[in-house]
């Protein structure tokens, strides 16, 4: 890594892994809250086997997609945060 690389590019794998793990963890908590609040009421199918586990019309698919969306959102938050931190660091040099 050269000294001129941005903080975001230096931290690519940390951002991707840390953001997805944190976001998907929060997405699973969101799914648990939905499960506690409404049960399977609006979802006629459970969706736990094969490709139906990722069908958003099933209960499990809804939670899986919530986890994926939360993961990408946290990756975005880390990219923005580290990008701004990098600009502040470089402004003082």
């Amino acid at each position: 890594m050269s000294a001129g690389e941005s903080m975001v590019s230096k931290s690519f794998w940390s951002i991707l892994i840390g953001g997805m793990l944190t976001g998907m963890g929060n997405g699973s908590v969101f799914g648990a809250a939905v499960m506690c609040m409404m049960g399977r009421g609006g979802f006629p199918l459970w969706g736990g086997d094969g490709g139906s586990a990722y069908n958003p019309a099933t209960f499990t698919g809804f939670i899986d997609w919530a986890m994926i969306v939360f993961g990408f959102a946290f990756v975005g938050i880390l990219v923005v945060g580290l990008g701004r931190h990098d600009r502040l660091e470089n402004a003082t040099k």
Side-chain angles (χ1 to χ4, degrees), residues 29-89:
V29 172
F30 172 77
V34 168
M35 182 174 57
C36 290
M37 193 169 68
M38 70 178 266
R40 268 188 42 202
F43 300 96
L45 299 173
W46 172 56
D49 48 339
S52 66
Y54 295 97
N55 179 357
T58 65
F59 181 70
T60 303
F62 171 76
I63 292 174
D64 287 347
W65 275 104
M67 290 171 55
I68 291 168
V69 168
F70 274 61
F72 283 121
F74 271 75
V75 168
I77 289 167
L78 284 173
V79 167
V80 169
L82 282 175
R84 289 182 180 181
H85 179 73
D86 194 32
R87 282 196 301 272
L88 286 173
E89 287 278 327

